[in-house]
Amino acid sequence: MIEFQQVSKTFDNWKAVDDLNLRLNAGDFTVLIGPSGSGKSTTLKMINRLVEHDSGRILFAGKEIRSFKEEDIRRRMGYAIQSIGLFPHWTVEQNIATVPALLKWPKARVAERVTELLTLLNLEPARYRQRYPHQLSGGQQQRVGVARALAADPEVLLMDEPFGALDPVTRSALQAEIARIHKASGKTIVLVTHDIDEALLLADRIVLLDKGRIAQVGTPFEILAHPASDFVTEFVGRSEVGIKLLGLDTVGARVRKGQSATGEPLPISATLREALSAFVARRASSLPVVDAQGQPVGALHFADLLDEQA
Ligand SMILES: Nc1ncnc2c1ncn2[C@@H]1O[C@H](COP(=O)(O)OP(=O)(O)O)[C@@H](O)[C@H]1O
Ligand SMILES: [Mg+2]
């Protein structure tokens, strides 16, 4: 879908991106992560040509990105950033409609799409469409930023620390929404973050950058369980690897179906990390497991947390 072949970008003698080789598959949720200045934003912006690469090739749908018309790139790739970049003198509706307006969609279709997107991102359309950005909370502005990126139903969604400045509750609500949108739409998503927990939560594949080079590419499990270098180990956080590994799997993967246990039940969708917390807090070595309707499914034993992971 998107492929970097020996791509470099230099700013004032500094190699922001250094010989990058990377393939991003259609439908994958890829997270670019790394310390500040490691080249994440530059990599992302080279995909939609906000930054032009100096050397190498970047292919999108098999063609060098330079050969696309600007308008086609705006239509086929949505872009959302932390600083939001909403136009302050435009309403929410006008902001979301930026790309559709550029593409000259009929008014009725634009209005319908705005309604659909506001609903998707949990902003009541009648209440919010005519507001201006300064009349919204930070979290609501971020939602509008994501809605704007999705407006023309792009094939690719590029997001640069979209939840950066949010409080933890709003942040985790928006993370859940993006995960849901990815599941429902199968879009190719590339998200930049410096937060390892966000990466572990959202990514199909993590690309860890260090000084413009790839330190490791892998699934969250591979990155946690088989770090390629000391840098990766340090970045992931040496102390809580076990806990983070438990965060990758759900109770459903380990439940002993049909067994019973006593105590306050665990939802089948809870992570094993949450299950560990429940075992300790409830001083239990086994707990009943229930499905989304609250019906009993089986039991989870404390020792099941130690099973070999996939
Ligand atoms: N427009 C620019 N002009 C000069 N240097 C830049 C520019 N954009 C990025 N850089 C430099 O390139 C390096 C990588 O930046 P960036 O990709 O923004 O990193 P990250 O997003 O990982 O924090 C940094 O050293 C940064 O200072
Ligand atoms: Mg950045």
Side-chain angles (χ1 to χ4, degrees):
M1 173 97 208
I2 298 165
E3 190 169 354
F4 291 83
Q5 298 176 341
Q6 297 171 292
V7 172
S8 295
K9 177 69 191 178
T10 303
F11 294 110
D12 317 320
N13 294 326
W14 173 263
K15 276 213 160 171
V17 172
D18 189 2
D19 194 29
L20 182 67
N21 290 288
L22 181 64
R23 212 191 148 100
L24 309 176
N25 298 318
D28 264 11
F29 199 135
T30 303
V31 173
L32 299 177
I33 191 167
S36 170
S38 56
K40 307 181 293 294
S41 297
T42 303
T43 300
L44 195 74
K45 287 181 194 159
M46 288 192 300
I47 298 175
N48 68 357
R49 268 183 33 203
L50 287 177
V51 168
E52 299 277 348
H53 50 296
D54 296 335
S55 58
R57 280 158 41 98
I58 301 175
L59 304 180
F60 172 50
K63 277 175 30 187
E64 165 61 42
I65 198 76
R66 290 186 216 272
S67 69
F68 286 85
K69 282 192 287 191
E70 173 88 14
E71 182 190 296
D72 287 336
I73 297 217
R74 296 297 153 247
R75 179 171 55 82
R76 296 178 68 174
M77 299 184 186
Y79 181 57
I81 52 178
Q82 176 185 343
S83 44
I84 305 165
L86 297 181
F87 303 115
H89 304 299
W90 288 11
T91 62
V92 164
E93 171 137 29
Q94 289 167 325
N95 267 286
I96 294 176
T98 307
V99 175
L102 215 63
L103 301 174
K104 303 195 169 59
W105 286 16
K107 274 205 178 99
R109 183 171 169 210
V110 172
E112 203 176 299
R113 182 69 177 145
V114 169
T115 303
E116 196 176 289
L117 286 164
L118 286 172
T119 309
L120 181 73
L121 287 154
N122 283 322
L123 289 166
E124 197 188 312
R127 189 150 168 227
Y128 291 104
R129 67 194 312 145
Q130 296 310 328
R131 288 207 191 174
Y132 289 89
H134 75 270
Q135 297 169 313
L136 303 175
S137 71
Q140 291 167 339
Q141 291 185 31
Q142 296 283 12
R143 278 165 211 253
V144 174
V146 173
R148 181 173 63 179
L150 287 168
D153 197 19
E155 293 151 63
V156 177
L157 187 55
L158 306 173
M159 292 189 284
D160 197 341
E161 310 212 15
F163 318 128
L166 300 176
D167 65 88
V169 174
T170 310
R171 192 184 173 94
S172 76
L174 271 175
Q175 286 168 342
E177 269 157 42
I178 284 297
R180 180 168 55 79
I181 288 168
H182 178 246
K183 257 204 193 115
S185 68
K187 277 189 199 315
T188 307
I189 299 184
V190 188
L191 179 140
V192 165
T193 183
H194 57 259
D195 176 354
I196 185 68
D197 290 310
E198 182 163 285
L200 295 172
L201 180 74
L202 294 174
D204 293 317
R205 220 156 56 120
I206 294 176
V207 178
L208 176 50
L209 295 174
D210 179 26
K211 302 192 189 83
R213 291 179 153 265
I214 289 180
Q216 188 168 356
V217 178
T219 61
F221 178 78
E222 287 162 353
I223 298 267
L224 281 176
H226 307 292
S229 64
D230 289 346
F231 171 80
V232 179
T233 305
E234 288 303 329
F235 190 86
V236 164
R238 225 177 253 288
S239 59
E240 297 213 320
V241 169
I243 299 287
K244 286 171 179 158
L245 278 168
L246 287 175
L248 300 180
D249 246 328
T250 59
V251 169
R254 305 282 171 85
V255 61
R256 302 188 192 191
K257 293 209 171 104
Q259 280 199 9
S260 57
T262 53
E264 193 188 325
L266 293 165
I268 194 161
S269 61
T271 64
L272 295 177
R273 180 177 182 157
E274 290 162 332
L276 171 65
S277 175
F279 283 127
V280 174
R282 296 171 203 170
R283 302 187 195 295
S285 57
S286 66
L287 284 168
V289 175
V290 292
D291 65 15
Q293 285 72 45
Q295 296 304 309
V297 176
L300 185 74
H301 294 239
F302 185 76
D304 297 338
L305 299 180
L306 299 179
D307 277 5
E308 193 60 29
Q309 310 230 358

